[in-house]
Amino acid sequence: MTALALAAGPVPPPRRELRFAALGDSLTEGVGDPVSGGWRGWASLLAGHQPGWEFRNFAASGALILDVLEQQAPLAREFAPHLASVVVGVNDTLRRSFDIQHVAVRLDTVYEGLASAGTVLLTACLPDPGAMLGLPGPLARPLARRQRAVNTVVHSLSSRYGAVHLHLADPAWVEDRTLWSADRLHPGERGHRLIAARCHALLAERGLAPGEPPPAEPERPPPGAAASLYWLATSGTAWLGRRSTDLLPQLLRLAGEELRHTARLDLHAAEALAAALSAVSPSRPGGQGLPTGANLRGVPGAACAAAARSGSGTTPITG
């Protein structure tokens, strides 16, 4: 897994007392890292090892970007955080109503509302759920296309708002099963600890994390084969049932189209992404402009963002 920090934002003076708000979905809620009474997760692990930090976790399992915008962000702004993580988007790709322009505008509004108050943003791009679940190609490719588009938007907006950005979409991260819980969609304790350590390294570069990173080694053994089978037979079946009523009929249709029109679908996705990035163009109030090659400094997705600005919309989406 590669950690990358965007360089557009200012470097604040060292701070030992800091308010940290975590926004997002089940990844940030801590699913996959159980403790007595609930979940812990990477954000709690990170905050727990920084002296003087006050931490509040607003993330909720199943949250969409709209939920973050309408429910979590107002509560976070009341908390007046110095640092806020916004890690969300996978659930949006699993919805039949997925619209990349809605994703871009809503994320831009969330980022702007926090950054305009002086909050430093911590963001991440994420692997696609089709790869996580090991779905066959025709089923996996539509989800991968959606997640690549979301990641490109996140890269672009992270650059605009000077966010500290963590890249979590690398194949090595996805393929290392020791990092994942039995459900194959959430990190296990080891994975959450690795995310926390990577975030700590990036924040330390900006003078925001004076303490030590959390230990890398888990406190509990990973779930065995029996636990994995139990999850698949109980919670996993229920999860699939909930998703099936919304996504599966559309996903089967998309898989059929994928077999016949992959190139056309790629082009349409690129055009939709270009339109989405245009919807959060520099003319949008509060924005600082779309990213340039200078401030992205090799971050995956830069080529795609550049293609969107030029209007070609045909550069393959990375990240």
Side-chain angles (χ1 to χ4, degrees):
M1 182 176 61
T2 302
L4 297 168
L6 300 182
V11 178
R15 177 191 295 274
R16 294 192 65 85
E17 295 183 359
L18 181 146
R19 291 187 297 275
F20 173 33
L23 293 76
D25 54 26
S26 55
L27 174 65
T28 301
E29 184 186 27
V31 173
D33 182 25
V35 293
S36 177
W39 304 108
R40 180 177 50 185
W42 69 267
S44 181
L45 283 164
L46 171 64
H49 284 77
Q50 303 310 302
W53 280 30
E54 182 181 355
F55 172 59
R56 295 189 188 177
N57 195 339
F58 300 98
S61 183
L64 304 170
I65 295 172
L66 183 61
D67 299 319
V68 173
L69 172 63
E70 294 183 343
Q71 300 171 25
Q72 299 179 26
L75 296 174
R77 290 196 299 271
E78 289 179 8
F79 178 50
H82 302 102
L83 172 69
S85 63
V86 183
V87 182
V88 67
V90 169
N91 288 317
D92 290 80
T93 70
L94 296 172
R95 292 298 188 274
R96 152 175 85 183
S97 57
F98 176 79
D99 185 314
I100 191 59
Q101 185 161 321
H102 290 165
V103 165
V105 172
R106 290 166 181 170
L107 269 181
D108 185 35
T109 304
V110 171
Y111 289 2
E112 182 181 9
L114 291 164
S116 63
T119 300
V120 176
L121 297 173
L122 173 61
T123 64
C125 61
L126 300 167
D128 74 86
M132 305 288 297
L133 292 169
L135 297 179
L139 291 173
R141 282 194 292 273
L143 296 179
R145 189 180 290 112
R146 289 180 174 189
Q147 190 61 52
R148 287 196 301 270
V150 172
N151 286 344
T152 301
V153 168
V154 170
H155 282 304
S156 296
L157 294 178
S158 295
S159 178
R160 166 184 289 188
Y161 292 106
V164 177
H165 182 78
L166 181 67
H167 187 57
L168 290 176
D170 293 325
W173 157 253
V174 177
E175 294 165 4
D176 186 350
R177 301 315 305 176
T178 67
L179 300 174
W180 298 93
S181 64
D183 66 11
R184 297 179 62 92
L185 280 172
H186 299 96
E189 182 185 352
R190 184 182 296 277
H192 278 286
R193 287 181 176 276
L194 181 57
I195 294 172
R198 296 291 188 175
C199 288
H200 176 272
L202 295 176
L203 292 169
E205 293 176 3
R206 298 272 285 265
L208 291 168
E212 296 296 320
E217 289 304 312
E219 298 169 350
R220 299 174 302 280
S228 299
L229 289 174
Y230 178 79
W231 183 89
L232 290 172
T234 55
S235 301
T237 301
W239 182 90
L240 182 59
R242 290 192 299 271
R243 289 296 181 269
S244 295
T245 60
D246 181 35
L247 177 69
L248 190 56
Q250 184 198 35
L251 189 58
L252 292 174
R253 177 181 61 79
L254 291 174
E257 293 180 0
E258 193 73 38
L259 292 171
R260 298 189 299 270
H261 306 297
T262 298
R264 178 171 59 83
L265 293 171
D266 285 341
L267 179 59
H268 286 177
E271 291 171 345
L273 176 60
L277 292 174
S278 295
V280 289
S281 67
S283 61
R284 184 172 171 80
Q288 300 173 12
L290 288 174
T292 65
N295 62 29
L296 275 171
R297 297 200 313 175
V299 173
C304 191
R309 290 196 307 276
S310 68
S312 67
T314 57
T315 299
I317 300 171
T318 61

